[in-house]
Amino acid sequence: MIVYPAIDLRDGACVRLMHGRFDQVTRYDDDPAARLASFVAAGTEWVHVVDLDGAQAGRAVQHELIGRLARSGEVNIQSGGGVRSREDVAALLDAGVARVVVGSQAVTAPGAVADWLSEFGAERIALALDVNVRDGVPVPALKGWTEAASVDLWAALDRFPPGTASHVLVTDVGRDGALTGPNLELLAEIVRRRPDLRVQASGGVAKTADLTAARDAGCAGAIVGRAIYEGRFTVEQALEAVR
């Protein structure tokens, strides 16, 4: 399983949000390049970078900074936030990003996203589905998690039949930044229903045992943010746990 240490960018600094709320921000680093270098030195091969300003604005804001990060070291960067168009995807890939994360458009404009997958390749794009679980039903959250989609997670995934997409990143909104553990039941159900997809777990990781549990549930990757920034475990320990 791949561990993706996360760098969430806001105003050029590394931050973390609680439950995705922009009024609950913890600022950790003013030098994202130094944080990226520390992840590389720890041995990670992938880093997950999010343009939070772009996600909030609904348009790309920090692509220049993300491009500098992508060109700065021997690491693969998976990045998203504010990706709304083919041009946004192309700009990030041209900047050196290895894989672009496409969020709300995967739910609201699946036809366009399917075209991007076909053009750029399924390995270069990850679908990101942020969900609220309501009465046992996972429903994608849109527009900064302020609106619910008109379809559930399963219907959203059905729009990308086997062979069209390879990577899906799923965040349980209620666990994001809360250090309460990932939603293993949901993750295992996605793996069961869609064995063709490489599932990335996001939200709630608090200890290395959460990583091994996600791996055992069938996940191909896990995003780790607050737990690393707050010293609950190191990147080295995370990599060793899933090795």
Side-chain angles (χ1 to χ4, degrees), residues 26-116:
T26 302
R27 189 180 182 112
Y28 289 104
D29 289 320
D30 291 327
D31 188 354
R35 175 63 72 166
L36 179 71
S38 73
F39 289 161
V40 174
T44 190
E45 297 180 357
W46 283 86
V47 175
H48 181 74
V49 179
V50 180
D51 177 0
L52 287 178
D53 293 321
Q56 187 175 33
R59 56 180 173 80
V61 175
Q62 301 193 89
H63 280 193
E64 182 179 350
L65 172 56
I66 292 169
R68 291 202 305 271
L69 294 176
R71 295 188 295 271
S72 67
E74 296 297 321
V75 69
N76 297 298
I77 287 184
Q78 171 179 276
S79 182
V83 176
R84 297 291 187 272
S85 68
R86 177 203 174 277
E87 289 68 31
D88 290 334
V89 176
L92 282 170
L93 293 176
D94 289 344
V97 167
R99 186 183 300 135
V100 177
V101 177
V102 177
S104 60
Q105 296 297 96
V107 178
T108 61
V113 176
D115 289 342
W116 306 343

Side-chain angles (χ1 to χ4, degrees), residues 228-239:
I228 287 175
Y229 285 86
E230 297 191 352
R232 289 175 176 250
F233 55 82
T234 65
V235 173
E236 290 93 338
Q237 289 169 330
L239 295 172

Side-chain angles (χ1 to χ4, degrees), residues 8 15-22 24-25 52 176-177 226:
D8 288 0
V15 306
R16 296 299 292 173
L17 307 182
M18 176 67 77
H19 301 318
R21 293 182 54 177
F22 285 88
Q24 294 190 27
V25 181
L52 287 178
D176 186 67
R226 186 179 294 271

Side-chain angles (χ1 to χ4, degrees), residues 79-165:
S79 182
V83 176
R84 297 291 187 272
S85 68
R86 177 203 174 277
E87 289 68 31
D88 290 334
V89 176
L92 282 170
L93 293 176
D94 289 344
V97 167
R99 186 183 300 135
V100 177
V101 177
V102 177
S104 60
Q105 296 297 96
V107 178
T108 61
V113 176
D115 289 342
W116 306 343
L117 286 161
S118 177
E119 177 181 358
F120 297 108
E123 284 300 318
R124 306 300 303 277
I125 293 175
L127 309 178
L129 299 172
D130 303 333
V131 301
N132 283 303
V133 180
R134 299 178 175 178
D135 297 323
V137 178
V139 178
L142 307 173
K143 295 188 177 180
W145 299 350
T146 61
E147 295 183 8
S150 59
V151 297
D152 65 19
L153 172 63
W154 314 121
L157 288 176
D158 284 345
R159 293 168 172 173
F160 299 93
T164 59

Side-chain angles (χ1 to χ4, degrees), residues 178-191:
L179 299 171
T180 54
N183 188 334
L184 297 173
E185 182 178 357
L186 173 63
L187 294 168
E189 181 66 7
I190 298 168
V191 171

